[in-house]
Amino acid sequence: MAQVFTWEEDARIEVRDLGGEIVIEANAAGLRTLAGHLLVLAGEGVPDGSHLHLEDGNGLEDGSVGLVLERSDAE
């Protein structure tokens, strides 16, 4: 089953590593986009290990650190 991840127009998402914490900063469209990505991964029938890579220039603002959203059903 293929997962379909959609992006809202004008979504802006930036991920920063501050050494002891990760900051995800986004506008409203970016937050809705991230929420949608998480709902896709949480969907019925989505297999364990399904994931989405977000990187600088690939969904994230320039200068962002990479972010991986991954489903893990293991306890």
Side-chain angles (χ1 to χ4, degrees):
M1 174 180 170
Q3 292 85 44
V4 178
F5 297 97
T6 59
W7 289 83
E8 285 202 16
E9 189 174 336
D10 299 324
R12 186 189 58 75
I13 305 166
E14 182 177 349
V15 179
R16 296 188 310 273
D17 181 351
L18 300 183
E21 52 188 19
I22 300 297
V23 175
I24 299 173
E25 179 182 298
N27 62 7
L31 291 172
R32 287 189 299 269
T33 295
L34 281 175
H37 293 347
L38 293 171
L39 287 170
V40 168
L41 288 170
E44 188 79 25
V46 174
D48 186 51
S50 294
H51 61 279
L52 174 65
H53 289 263
L54 303 173
E55 301 170 344
D56 174 347
N58 181 27
L60 300 180
E61 294 292 302
D62 290 341
S64 291
V65 297
L67 177 66
V68 178
L69 305 175
E70 182 172 354
R71 179 172 178 153
S72 175
D73 293 321
E75 293 185 22

